[in-house]
Structures are given as structure tokens and as C-alpha cells.
Amino acid sequence: MVVDAVSGVEIGLEPAPAGLAPPTPNPATARVEFSFHLNQPGQVRLLVCDVRGRLVTGWQTTEASAGDRRIAWDFRDREGRSVAPGRYFVKLETDGYSVTRSLIHLPG
């Protein structure tokens, strides 16, 4: 519990159900790795979107166990085509929680 010094109100701080590390390497040219941690089992979606918010690729599982995960991406879209250099966003979604990180894809 944390007590707000001004109002005296107790604020309960619960840990986030998941965490997404910054993509590595970043910026990247040929391959990037996404690392995330689940504090509890549940459905997970990891999405890569372009700057306009369009889905480029993604991964989904209906029931993942708690723990650490890593996913590598080779800068190809859902149809297997190479994506253009630029800024992308990776978003982790699980059980009503989401976190987003930025990624720069450099020309190779």
C-alpha cells in the first residue's frame, strides 16, 4: 500500500499482469527479438503495426503459462514479404492489459 501524502488516501499498487522489454537490437536491420514476461497464465497477443496503425504481423496463443517468452521477427509481414524500413510498434495484449514499444527498422 502507498499512502498519498496530500489526501491520505491509500492506493493499492498491483503488479502488471505482463511486461514487454524494449525490442533488441533497436534500431535493427535484419532481425529483432521481442522479450516479454507473463505474471499469470492467460491469452496473449503480440502485434506489430506500422505508423498508421495497420497490422503488419502478429502472434497469438489462447492459453500461455506464466513466465518469460521470446519471439524473433525477420521484418516480414503476414504474407512473407519484407517490410519497408521505418518505425514500427510492437504491442503486447493480455487479459485487458496492453503495453506498446517502438522499433526502428533500418535499411540493410
Side-chain angles (χ1 to χ4, degrees):
M1 285 291 177
V2 174
V3 177
D4 183 286
V6 175
S7 67
V9 175
E10 290 184 0
I11 303 168
L13 299 176
E14 294 185 27
L20 176 62
T24 54
N26 191 12
T29 55
R31 183 177 178 274
V32 67
E33 188 169 89
F34 307 122
S35 299
F36 60 96
H37 179 81
L38 302 177
N39 291 326
Q40 58 198 26
Q43 182 175 348
V44 177
R45 289 180 8 150
L46 189 69
L47 309 172
V48 177
C49 299
D50 64 16
V51 293
R52 293 185 179 174
R54 295 177 297 200
L55 179 65
V56 174
T57 193
W59 302 266
Q60 181 171 342
T61 182
T62 55
E63 190 64 29
S65 59
D68 296 326
R69 304 281 185 284
R70 289 185 180 171
I71 294 178
W73 183 42
D74 62 359
F75 293 104
R76 295 187 181 276
D77 67 13
R78 291 177 289 170
E79 284 79 39
R81 300 174 299 221
S82 293
V83 299
R87 180 179 296 266
Y88 291 87
F89 296 94
V90 59
K91 181 177 184 180
L92 176 70
E93 297 178 338
T94 181
D95 298 328
Y97 175 81
S98 70
V99 60
T100 303
R101 302 276 187 215
S102 176
L103 166 66
I104 303 295
H105 173 38
L106 298 175

